[in-house]
Amino acid sequence: MVRGFTLLELMISVFVMMILMLGVAPNFSGLSKEVKVERAAAEIYGLLMQTKADAIMRNEPLWSHFNHLPQGAEDGTWTISVTNSSSTSGTTYLALSSLPYQNVHIHLNHNSKQIKFDNLTGVVLSTGTITISPYSQQNSGIKIKTSAASGRIVVCQFGGAEHGVGECSV
């Protein structure tokens, strides 16, 4: 007697595997979006912290400019540049592009779409929030809060999503 699988048994096995994979596929796409949000938040936070250090090292005030917002948030063409001028025409020291972060929505509520850093202490001189979330679920994500009163930059999560940072306080 020959041992093995019949063609019908193999087809049934493949069909069952396809059904199982279809159930798992949406979870992978959601996970991919969350990872992009976390990476974008980590990059922006790192850029802001580097700007603090550079302002002290260069002994000149620096500005982080958020370019192409809000329209760039919709089509993924936003950029962040760090210059030594309140306008984007100054010398650019650092830059961050949105290209690796497609399908990630960014919203900035700083008054002039820029954040100023003091040259003596490196503290943030503007108060506001940068909100980073997936396009599909903008009710959850990560916030980067800056405070001119304390000079601090704080990262927190909102909307019940788990990103490995603390929950935003009210």
Side-chain angles (χ1 to χ4, degrees):
M1 180 170 183
V2 177
R3 291 287 216 185
F5 296 104
T6 66
L7 182 60
L8 181 61
E9 291 171 327
L10 287 174
M11 287 175 51
I12 291 172
S13 299
V14 168
F15 181 72
V16 169
M17 290 297 285
M18 284 178 29
I19 290 174
L20 291 174
M21 293 301 282
L22 287 174
V24 174
N27 292 335
F28 284 126
S29 67
L31 181 62
S32 172
K33 290 176 186 175
E34 295 298 324
V35 168
K36 280 186 179 182
V37 167
E38 291 171 14
R39 281 186 44 225
E43 286 287 332
I44 293 170
Y45 178 74
L47 182 81
L48 296 177
M49 296 305 288
Q50 182 67 41
T51 304
K52 285 179 73 163
D54 281 0
I56 296 169
M57 182 190 75
R58 296 177 190 282
N59 195 25
E60 64 180 332
L62 295 179
W63 286 263
S64 291
H65 300 278
F66 291 77
N67 308 308
H68 310 295
L69 289 177
Q71 72 277 10
E74 300 303 323
D75 59 15
T77 59
W78 55 267
T79 61
I80 304 172
S81 58
V82 176
T83 69
N84 61 350
S85 171
S86 61
S87 69
T88 56
S89 63
T91 303
T92 300
Y93 295 119
L94 301 167
L96 179 65
S97 169
S98 65
L99 291 178
Y101 311 110
Q102 296 299 316
N103 298 320
V104 171
H105 184 266
I106 182 170
H107 175 74
L108 179 76
N109 75 349
H110 286 267
N111 288 336
S112 57
K113 295 185 183 141
Q114 63 185 12
I115 302 172
K116 183 178 179 183
F117 294 85
D118 182 57
N119 60 312
L120 296 177
T121 59
V123 299
V124 177
L125 297 177
S126 62
T127 299
T129 304
I130 305 164
T131 305
I132 306 155
S133 59
Y135 276 124
S136 59
Q137 54 204 70
Q138 294 178 20
N139 57 348
S140 67
I142 297 177
K143 289 184 179 182
I144 301 174
K145 297 180 177 184
T146 61
S147 171
S150 66
R152 296 183 64 207
I153 301 172
V154 178
V155 179
C156 60
Q157 62 194 21
F158 68 96
E162 185 57 48
H163 295 287
V165 296
E167 193 71 28
C168 293
S169 58
V170 177

